Amino acid sequence: MQNVQRFVLQENIRRFQAQLGRLSDAEDLHRVVLLMAAMERELALLDASESGVLRRGADGCGAPDEAAAARTEAIARFREDFSSSVEIAALIDPAPGLVYVDINPAYEQMLGVARGDLVGTQLFEQFPDNPDDPAADGVYKVYMSLRHVAETCETHAMSLQRYDVSVEGGGFVPRYWRIVNSPVLDAEGRLLLLLNTAQEVCGEEAPQSQAPPLG
């Protein structure tokens, strides 16, 4: 069933992309952009839940005991490097669900959630797109960046990204971020975890209009 859903979403996205180059009417163009954004978001959530960002055919990180030891060492390094950093940082499991493995104190403060309450939950459960913004593309853009990192084992710095944040009492507030996603590798160069870091952009750097263009 999910394979059928994925195929339908992918085909609709391709169809909308083809239409973008042919449309001249601003209202029609806007409608297609919003429809494509919704499809991309749904596809990203489906893929994140079903397969995470793991490369097809990847063998993992060796024997289970070796992988566990390597992950433990990676988490220890993360805590040493980011415990006192003002930059928000998180370790994410690339497996299905994209589950939080660890976060630093700056991340706790930004989200207003204790580390113990966040670790083990899924990334996009904590950071959904703003439901009141049909053009929101934070989920899709972050997912595609993480997948790029997993496929290439290279760091990816995203373009300035609008990604609204939910607030206590309900609702979302606009936020702009500079996000960098990096691979955490074992000694053999195989993917263990994903490192997500971000800095909020405020003041004159933050756009006063809607979300920045795709790409």
Side-chain angles (χ1 to χ4, degrees):
M1 184 64 179
Q2 288 182 323
N3 287 336
V4 174
Q5 183 182 4
R6 178 179 292 102
F7 175 78
V8 171
L9 289 170
Q10 290 171 336
E11 288 301 305
N12 282 334
I13 291 170
R14 279 193 282 267
R15 180 165 58 88
F16 292 143
Q17 288 173 334
Q19 290 179 4
L20 289 177
R22 300 194 301 262
L23 294 173
S24 57
D25 181 80
E27 186 174 334
D28 289 342
L29 184 62
H30 181 67
R31 176 180 57 82
V32 170
V33 167
L34 294 185
L35 287 171
M36 190 166 71
M39 295 290 178
E40 289 174 335
R41 183 184 311 116
E42 189 175 350
L43 181 61
L45 290 172
L46 176 64
D47 283 341
S49 175
E50 186 181 77
S51 59
V53 293
L54 291 175
R55 291 169 289 173
R56 293 182 180 179
D59 294 327
C61 299
D65 289 345
E66 295 172 351
R71 284 167 63 99
T72 298
E73 292 176 6
I75 294 169
R77 288 196 304 271
F78 170 81
R79 292 176 180 173
E80 182 178 350
D81 292 342
F82 290 98
S83 62
S84 59
S85 175
V86 296
E87 185 177 41
I88 67 172
L91 282 180
I92 299 168
D93 192 326
L98 298 180
V99 170
Y100 283 103
V101 175
D102 206 351
I103 61 172
N104 72 337
Y107 205 107
E108 287 183 282
Q109 184 177 2
M110 179 275 299
L111 198 56
V113 176
R115 175 188 171 278
D117 294 329
L118 190 70
V119 170
T121 65
Q122 297 183 13
L123 170 64
F124 296 128
E125 287 181 350
Q126 299 296 335
F127 273 98
D129 274 330
N130 183 348
D132 295 325
D133 180 8
D137 61 1
V139 165
Y140 174 71
K141 290 291 189 64
V142 169
Y143 176 77
M144 293 302 293
S145 175
L146 292 172
R147 193 170 77 176
H148 173 80
V149 171
E151 291 174 347
T152 65
C153 285
E154 296 177 351
T155 295
H156 182 248
M158 298 177 59
S159 301
L160 181 65
Q161 178 66 45
R162 176 174 173 174
Y163 207 139
D164 297 350
V165 176
S166 59
V167 294
E168 186 175 356
F172 285 72
V173 292
R175 291 288 186 268
Y176 291 87
W177 307 90
R178 295 198 183 280
I179 301 171
V180 177
N181 294 307
S182 306
V184 179
L185 307 175
D186 70 0
E188 303 300 322
R190 292 170 293 195
L191 184 67
L192 286 173
L193 299 164
L194 299 161
L195 172 63
N196 170 261
T197 62
Q199 293 180 321
E200 184 176 357
V201 176
C202 304
E204 294 182 357
E205 281 191 278
Q208 300 302 308
S209 59
Q210 294 301 310
L214 298 180

